[in-house]
Each structure stands twice: as structure tokens, then as C-alpha cells.
Amino acid sequence: MTAANALRLAVLVLLVALVVHPQWFEVFFAPLAPEGGPVMYERASLLSLSLNHLGLVFAASGAATLVAVALAILVTRPAGAAFRPLARSIANMGQTFPPVAVLALAVPSLGFGSGPTLVALFLYGLLPILENAITGLTNLPRATMEAARGIGLSRWQSLTRVEIPLALPVILTGIRLSVVIALATATIGSTVAARTLGEVIIAGLLTNNTAFVLQGGLIVGLFAVLIYDAMGQIEALLVHSARI
């Protein structure tokens, strides 16, 4: 086992232990808790909050990926090239509009809970995926595209068999960035009663309990590191496969 793999395994074991058996770490968090106050967050299961947090992130990121890649395909076709500035403007708007504002605007129509959080994560995750998908689909090797036309591939066949596979590593980079952004942003969903790890952080801030804040932040950070690394490994494999 390489040092990198050993480090990945150690981080994974630490994360699982912290989520499943948080009481094992009480001695480490105790100095950060207020005198006489609780050390470990016990109002809800950290495992349940983690699963809900990840569920929101992957649901929103999945929807953002489908919409962003579809838009990128549309605006990189000759018939849709005129819509490229509009698509980029919409994605930029979603990125620059504060997630807290999206939550506030979505609550009256969607109510409290996961709905507003999903909307905020979806809008916030569009831009990285769209920009990378457009970049990947517009910077393909000219010789490869000419070869695809030369062997008689239709536009659909060229897209599915040549363009998307070649652009996939670049697209995956955008998805990886979007997912990591969503992991962090999802914590604010607890301000509108979404069940996320932000619940632990907010409880710590409200009670001046640094132990709670560190627990929530550490779990989110470990998830971000592991997911970012895992998607990076997949991306590297795709790049290697494309070169063979």
C-alpha cells in the first residue's frame, strides 16, 4: 500500500468512526465545550445528518449536471451557438446570487426543509459544470473530429461516441468542483430546517459551544476531502484511458 492510499484509508476510517461512534472522540472535544455543557452533539444522529447532507448534495449536483451538460451540448451545436451568452448569463446569475437569498426567496413557495436547500445548491452548482462542459466540447482535437466525419458518423454518433468521451475528464473537473462547493453550501440549509450537518454547527454557534462547531465542520471537511480525491482519481483514470 502506498503512502497516499494509506492516508486515504486513515481519513476514511476517521470519518466513519466520528460519524458512527462520536463518543469515542469526547476526550478530544471536551476542552472546547463550555463548562458544564454537552461535549458531543446528541440532539440527532451524526450518521443520519451526514446521510441527509450527502443526499441533498448529490441530488442537487446530479440535477445541475444534467441541466448544465445538456445546455453545453445545445450551445456548442451550430443551431444553438447564439444561445451561448444567454446560457452563461443564467449560470453566472445562479453563482453570484447568494445562497442565503435563494433560501429566503424559496421558503414562501416551497416551505421549510429540504426544498429551498435543493434549489440553492442546484443554482450554485450550475456554473462550474456548464463552463467546463463548454470548454471540453469546444476544444476537441480537430483531427479526431475530422476522422469521425470521415468514417461516416452522424452528428448524434459523433457526440455520444467521440465528443462526450473526450470531453468527459474536463466535464468531471467541473462536477468535482461543483460537488465540493455544494458540500460546504449545504450547511446553511439548516437555517431553513433542512436536516444537514449545518445543524450541528448552528447549534454550536447559538450556544457558544466550539466543540459542536468543530464536530460539524470537521465532518463536512473530511467528506469534501475524500469525495474530491475520489473524483480526482476517476478523472485521472479517464485521462489515462483516453491516451491509450
Side-chain angles (χ1 to χ4, degrees), residues 75-243:
V75 301
T76 53
R77 304 304 97 183
F83 296 99
R84 190 179 303 179
L86 176 61
R88 279 183 161 146
S89 296
I90 293 173
N92 273 303
M93 189 181 301
Q95 183 75 201
T96 56
F97 209 70
V100 174
V102 175
L103 291 175
L105 293 173
V107 164
S109 58
L110 298 177
F112 289 92
S114 300
T117 306
L118 284 169
V119 172
L121 296 180
F122 169 77
L123 292 176
Y124 217 55
L126 279 176
L127 183 62
I129 304 173
L130 178 64
E131 286 293 342
N132 276 53
I134 291 175
T135 299
L137 291 170
T138 54
N139 289 279
L140 299 171
R142 182 175 297 178
T144 302
M145 298 307 300
E146 290 177 353
R149 286 192 293 269
I151 62 175
L153 293 182
S154 67
R155 290 184 178 180
W156 175 252
Q157 290 173 325
S158 177
L159 174 65
T160 56
R161 298 182 186 180
V162 180
E163 295 180 54
I164 290 180
L166 287 177
L168 194 56
V170 181
I171 296 172
L172 191 58
T173 298
I175 297 173
R176 177 168 54 149
L177 178 58
S178 180
V179 168
V180 172
I181 291 173
L183 276 167
T185 307
T187 57
I188 67 171
S190 292
T191 60
V192 292
R195 302 284 291 173
T196 74
L197 290 164
E199 180 179 319
V200 185
I201 298 172
I202 292 172
L205 293 174
L206 292 176
T207 60
N208 198 29
N209 191 332
T210 308
F212 284 0
V213 176
L214 184 59
Q215 285 166 51
L218 182 59
I219 294 172
V220 172
L222 291 175
F223 271 125
V225 168
L226 286 173
I227 292 173
Y228 187 86
D229 179 70
M231 295 185 73
Q233 294 297 312
I234 295 172
E235 184 183 324
L237 286 173
L238 290 174
V239 172
H240 179 71
S241 299
R243 291 175 177 174

